[in-house]
Amino acid sequence: MGRNQVYCCICGGPFLEPGTREDEPGEWLYHPTLWTTVHDAKDGVELDMYKWELGMYTYDLIDPVDDSQRRVLEQEATYQEHNVFLISESGENVPAFHVVGNESPLYLAVYSQYSQLVQRFISSRPEAHDVFQISDKDKVSSVKQLWKVIFTRLPASGRGFTYNIDHPTRYYGITSLHLIEWELDNNPLVSKYIEADLIKVPQLTECILDNLEPDASGIRSEEASTDLEDQDWWFNKLITKKELPWLWDLDEDLVHKKQRTGDWNWELLVKKLSGPDIYRPEDETLRLPLGLRNRQRIWKCIEDARLGDIQRQIGPPHLGFAVPMQGNLWDGYTPKSQQSTA
């Protein structure tokens, strides 16, 4: 492994070569999907071709067609080594984040699990726009728009491969780990955090309900407001998931059953679940599984995505190496979506 290792462009986690840790936690880190763009043609669908602009250090689409004729194609693959992926269907070996020669298709490498996570995020948006066009102020509302945002982050390289793509928050701390030889055993806390399954979280609902506190009459937490809204209103916010769409798999039957057992402070629970730091493994406001914390981190990474949130590099590329972070491992930079417009 080491510095030639490739990292997911949605969450910043490492792709592992098959056979490294089979049948162990984190097995889903072996399963990448390559995203590329295609367009309608006379004989069916053709791959879009991209080129590297000499002297500009950017990638551009060759012979662009109407965006309505284009879409994002997701292909299952296997990570080999040194930024080589084997596409399962075609048997072709291709690199990610890099144009080969004068022109070639361009592939973005993500974990296969994230197709579901991205679709869940898009479903949570008030409106879905199945187009590539997106303003620099809007959240993504389609896979096409997420492709476009990540494409604009690419540090285009004409010589040498790019192994990881920058993110406005450094993936909330993960990019700092790209500067060392990544081994899951090097840092036990980070290893368990990264390898925890974020889709199938064991006993997710039970773990959340374990954080419920009694709603003692006359005793209100400082984190809870006055009785402007009753607890049933906050309960409904939790159960409908509109406030917390990343909890799509919350078991409503279990939550209703818990509600019938007493008077509970649903307001405090919802507000804590909405807190800005619950993605951090060391956060003490709630007791949550690491897989759920990692899910919330990645949800935030998608939610932060804005067109132009990473300035494309001008000048020779640094072969994809990240800039060292300062401060706490989990600290990130303020994303464009949260920066003041004043």
Side-chain angles (χ1 to χ4, degrees):
M1 300 202 216
R3 292 189 184 266
N4 287 340
Q5 195 164 17
V6 184
Y7 299 86
C8 172
C9 60
I10 290 181
C11 79
F15 291 106
L16 302 186
E17 297 174 23
T20 310
R21 290 165 63 94
E22 294 291 351
D23 301 319
E24 294 184 24
E27 185 176 358
W28 59 277
L29 301 175
Y30 303 108
H31 303 293
T33 293
L34 297 181
W35 290 8
T36 190
T37 59
V38 297
H39 61 270
D40 296 333
K42 291 182 179 179
D43 298 326
V45 174
E46 293 182 357
L47 293 170
D48 288 342
M49 302 297 287
Y50 292 81
K51 63 181 178 179
W52 178 59
E53 289 288 349
L54 181 64
M56 298 299 292
Y57 300 98
T58 60
Y59 292 133
D60 285 305
L61 185 64
I62 296 177
D63 299 327
V65 299
D66 191 311
D67 274 352
S68 65
Q69 304 299 312
R70 299 175 64 222
R71 62 184 175 87
V72 175
L73 177 67
E74 301 181 23
Q75 297 179 289
E76 296 300 316
T78 303
Y79 176 56
Q80 304 296 293
E81 60 178 356
H82 304 303
N83 201 359
V84 175
F85 292 80
L86 174 66
I87 299 177
S88 302
E89 184 174 352
S90 67
E92 183 181 5
N93 285 312
V94 299
F97 318 135
H98 181 69
V99 169
V100 179
N102 294 327
E103 61 181 66
S104 75
L106 182 63
Y107 296 94
L108 303 180
V110 306
Y111 291 122
S112 296
Q113 277 202 356
Y114 290 178
S115 291
Q116 179 179 347
L117 188 70
V118 170
Q119 289 301 327
R120 293 284 184 180
F121 179 84
I122 292 169
S123 297
S124 73
R125 301 284 290 119
E127 296 181 2
H129 302 284
D130 190 28
V131 295
F132 285 93
Q133 292 80 17
I134 180 175
S135 80
D136 60 1
K137 296 180 177 62
D138 291 334
K139 297 179 183 180
V140 298
S141 60
S142 68
V143 175
K144 292 179 180 179
Q145 291 181 344
L146 184 57
W147 162 276
K148 182 70 173 289
V149 170
I150 296 174
F151 173 74
T152 61
R153 294 173 180 168
L154 281 170
S157 171
R159 355 169 187 156
F161 292 121
T162 295
Y163 296 100
N164 58 278
I165 297 177
D166 204 357
H167 183 275
T169 66
R170 300 291 200 253
Y171 301 103
Y172 290 99
I174 297 303
T175 300
S176 62
L177 304 175
H178 296 179
L179 297 172
I180 63 175
E181 291 191 6
W182 175 276
E183 295 289 347
L184 287 175
D185 296 328
N186 283 351
N187 187 317
L189 173 62
V190 177
S191 299
K192 292 178 181 178
Y193 182 60
I194 296 300
E195 70 185 15
D197 193 324
L198 53 97
I199 299 297
K200 299 177 182 178
V201 180
Q203 297 185 311
L204 178 147
T205 305
E206 292 90 336
C207 292
I208 290 175
L209 293 178
D210 283 345
N211 292 278
L212 261 178
E213 299 180 14
D215 183 31
S217 59
I219 302 177
R220 304 290 293 175
S221 167
E222 291 181 359
E223 297 183 51
S225 68
T226 57
D227 292 326
L228 295 176
E229 308 286 357
D230 62 24
Q231 293 298 334
D232 286 342
W233 188 85
W234 287 100
F235 171 83
N236 288 328
K237 285 181 77 71
L238 176 66
I239 211 73
T240 59
K241 308 179 184 74
K242 290 183 179 180
E243 184 83 8
L244 304 162
W246 51 277
L247 289 178
W248 68 79
D249 45 356
L250 193 70
D251 189 325
E252 295 183 18
D253 290 338
L254 281 179
V255 180
H256 278 288
K257 183 178 179 181
K258 183 69 174 182
Q259 185 192 35
R260 294 192 292 268
T261 64
D263 296 323
W264 300 102
N265 195 333
W266 298 101
E267 177 184 6
L268 183 58
L269 179 62
V270 171
K271 288 190 172 184
K272 284 185 175 182
L273 286 169
S274 304
D277 294 325
I278 65 169
Y279 72 91
R280 296 173 180 259
E282 74 274 19
D283 172 65
E284 296 182 352
T285 60
L286 290 169
R287 299 178 300 279
L288 296 176
L290 287 178
L292 190 57
R293 292 190 186 277
N294 197 23
R295 178 197 293 186
Q296 215 274 333
R297 177 184 69 88
I298 299 163
W299 188 277
K300 286 165 67 71
C301 286
I302 301 172
E303 190 170 42
D304 289 339
R306 297 291 189 279
L307 190 67
D309 55 11
I310 294 293
Q311 185 67 40
R312 270 190 171 178
Q313 182 178 302
I314 304 299
H318 295 291
L319 302 180
F321 295 148
V323 177
M325 289 181 58
Q326 302 294 326
N328 187 285
L329 172 65
W330 307 109
D331 288 339
Y333 297 111
T334 302
K336 189 173 183 177
S337 60
Q338 298 174 21
Q339 292 175 3
S340 172
T341 57

